[in-house]
Amino acid sequence: MSSRTIVLNDALYEYLLSVSLREPGVLGRLREETAKMPEHNMQISPEQGQFMALLVELTGASKCLEVGTFTGYSALAVALALPEDGTLVTCDISEEFTSRAKPYWREAGVAGKIDLRLGPALETLDALIADGESGAFDFAFIDADKVNYQGYFQRALDLIRPGGLILVDNVLWSGAVADPARGDEDTEAIRAFNQARAGDPRISLSLVPIGDGLTLARKR
Ligand code: CA
């Protein structure tokens, strides 16, 4: 036993999944289709999807926001956890990736809950703010290009209601954030984002080492 977070080797990770993963079939098929793509590592892990769905339930969220749809796994996990009248606005620039998501959203019966906005997400978020949606969202998930993380977060914080939750993915960046030899643009952007959140008085904060590192920020 240790007072620090446990390291998961392959056997322990498989065990964790075997006793806790409840992935619906439609999500599993979407994950398997995405796993065949060269960009498959942009997809969240299934236990992270389940964790996010639980957070949606815990917060009672009904209006959600996502930056970075990719092939729609996280959007589907969130949409399945939403109440009947719940909605998710999800932003991406790729017609190619997001078109893979739609048949699965339809099959799962949640296509009507998901509002896909194609275009640069900073512009989409600014348009939501201009439309008077500040404070209207309960829950947000940021998982897109890392150089814009600060810009996405500032806008998400505006759009989220007090008490709402923002999740930010890849904040441990495969360990690169703690490797002094790594000075590339993405790593530096994530370091700057994490450093800014460390002392951000507008949020309550927890960085959870699930997947590639997930920051939970509750708006005060
Ligand atoms: Ca990610």
Side-chain angles (χ1 to χ4, degrees):
M1 292 225 289
S2 164
S3 60
R4 53 176 281 178
T5 300
I6 195 168
V7 174
L8 296 180
N9 61 24
D10 288 352
L12 191 53
Y13 180 60
E14 288 304 320
Y15 175 80
L16 179 156
L17 296 180
S18 74
V19 295
S20 68
L21 189 66
R22 299 177 176 183
E23 187 180 45
V26 62
L27 265 176
R29 288 192 298 283
L30 172 54
R31 181 165 56 81
E32 282 159 19
E33 182 186 325
T34 305
K36 296 173 191 154
M37 298 167 56
E39 303 86 356
H40 63 90
N41 61 358
M42 287 166 61
Q43 178 168 247
I44 63 167
S45 64
E47 74 278 12
Q48 181 175 335
Q50 185 170 319
F51 181 57
M52 290 170 54
L54 179 64
L55 292 175
V56 169
E57 291 183 12
L58 280 170
T59 56
S62 67
K63 189 161 176 170
C64 299
L65 179 67
E66 178 176 65
V67 181
T69 316
F70 188 43
T71 60
Y73 185 94
S74 46
L76 182 51
V78 165
L80 285 168
L82 285 172
E84 209 52 49
D85 61 349
T87 56
L88 169 69
V89 174
T90 184
C91 312
D92 207 283
I93 50 170
S94 173
E95 168 83 50
E96 181 198 343
F97 290 154
T98 55
S99 66
R100 290 172 178 262
K102 291 176 183 169
Y104 294 93
W105 294 346
R106 281 195 293 270
E107 181 190 336
V110 297
K113 294 180 180 176
I114 301 176
D115 176 0
L116 172 64
R117 308 273 179 102
L118 283 177
L122 289 176
E123 292 175 17
T124 303
L125 300 179
D126 281 339
L128 288 169
I129 292 167
D131 286 347
E133 298 273 12
S134 295
F137 288 83
D138 305 303
F139 180 98
F141 177 48
I142 298 172
D143 185 15
D145 53 307
K146 310 312 169 197
V147 294
N148 282 316
Y149 260 25
Q150 300 265 38
Y152 296 143
F153 187 83
Q154 296 300 340
R155 288 161 178 81
L157 198 59
D158 181 301
L159 290 162
I160 285 281
R161 64 169 168 82
L165 185 65
I166 304 175
L167 309 184
V168 186
D169 200 34
N170 300 107
V171 292
L172 295 179
W173 207 226
S174 303
V177 284
D179 179 355
R182 288 286 299 272
D184 57 280
E185 192 178 30
D186 287 340
T187 303
E188 290 293 355
I190 294 171
R191 284 184 186 131
F193 173 81
N194 289 337
Q195 201 61 50
R197 295 295 78 70
D200 190 338
R202 301 169 298 175
I203 55 170
S204 304
L205 176 71
S206 182
L207 197 170
V208 180
I210 187 172
D212 194 27
L214 183 68
T215 283
L216 276 63
R218 179 183 185 271
K219 182 175 176 178
R220 287 177 169 163

